[in-house]
């Protein structure tokens, strides 16, 4: 060691070359570490949310019959034909009445039906799943009732109960 506190490297060119290689490695390593921890980047990306297509409720077709018949003073099941045009399953979360109950066209004298929908079924328990791109029948047990004001002309009628469905993915 010299008197000024510096380490004296001996060995000629090999020692100097080894020292320079070590110093260069240390410098490159420090530069790489600095670049790793201080590097910034930017870019752009995009995503789009798809729109859920309208899930529809249709009138029953021949063969879609409820398990129970509606009579004055009683209740009966309501059957909904629900179509899901989406490429993913949806759940029918709630069903609410949305208008006046009417009789089918084969019973024009049935103007006072006495039929009511059981009100809001919120939340529907259990929620009903409808498979992607399919139609399913949803039965609401005892959801329709008929009081004693129903006219005799309503015998044998099929009643149309306008409803609104809330569906979720």
């Amino acid at each position: 060691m010299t008197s000024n506190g510096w380490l004296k490297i001996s060995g000629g060119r090999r020692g100097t070359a080894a020292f320079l290689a070590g110093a260069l490695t240390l410098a490159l390593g420090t530069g790489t570490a600095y670049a790793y921890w201080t590097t910034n980047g930017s870019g752009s990306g995009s995503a789009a949310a798809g729109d859920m297509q309208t899930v529809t409720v249709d009138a029953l077709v021949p063969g879609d019959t409820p398990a129970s018949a509606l009579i004055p003073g009683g209740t009966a099941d309501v059957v909904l034909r629900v179509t899901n045009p989406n490429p993913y399953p949806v759940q029918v979360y709630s069903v609410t009445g949305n208008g006046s109950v009417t009789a089918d066209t084969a019973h024009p004298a049935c103007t006072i039906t006495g039929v009511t929908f059981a009100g809001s079924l919120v939340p529907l328990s259990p929620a009903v799943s409808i498979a992607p791109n399919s139609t399913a029948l949803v039965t609401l047990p005892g959801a329709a009732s008929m009081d004693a004001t129903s006219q005799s002309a309503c015998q044998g009628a099929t009643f149309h109960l306008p409803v609104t469905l809330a569906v979720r993915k």
Side-chain angles (χ1 to χ4, degrees):
M1 195 148 168
T2 61
S3 61
N4 62 7
W6 288 90
L7 176 65
K8 182 177 179 182
I9 300 175
S10 62
R13 290 183 149 182
R14 279 190 185 170
T16 304
F19 175 75
L20 289 176
L24 183 61
T25 301
L26 180 64
L28 287 174
T30 302
T32 302
Y34 176 77
Y36 177 79
W37 290 108
T38 60
T39 300
N40 293 320
S42 64
S44 63
S46 65
D51 292 328
M52 178 186 269
Q53 296 179 39
T54 302
V55 174
T56 59
V57 180
D58 297 312
L60 299 181
V61 297
D64 295 345
T65 55
S68 57
L70 191 57
I71 59 171
T75 63
D77 298 347
V78 171
V79 179
L80 308 172
R81 177 176 278 279
V82 181
T83 301
N84 174 18
N86 295 292
Y88 47 82
V90 297
Q91 286 192 328
V92 178
Y93 175 74
S94 70
V95 181
T96 54
N98 186 21
S100 300
V101 176
T102 57
D104 61 33
T105 56
H107 295 82
C110 179
T111 57
I112 299 175
T113 66
V115 176
T116 57
F117 183 68
S120 296
L121 300 172
V122 181
L124 189 60
S125 182
V128 177
S129 291
I130 309 295
N133 300 307
S134 67
T135 298
L137 296 179
V138 176
T139 300
L140 307 173
S145 62
M146 178 184 271
D147 64 25
T149 63
S150 183
Q151 297 170 318
S152 293
C154 296
Q155 290 182 25
T158 298
F159 298 100
H160 302 279
L161 296 110
V163 294
T164 299
L165 302 179
V167 295
R168 296 180 178 171
K169 180 177 181 219

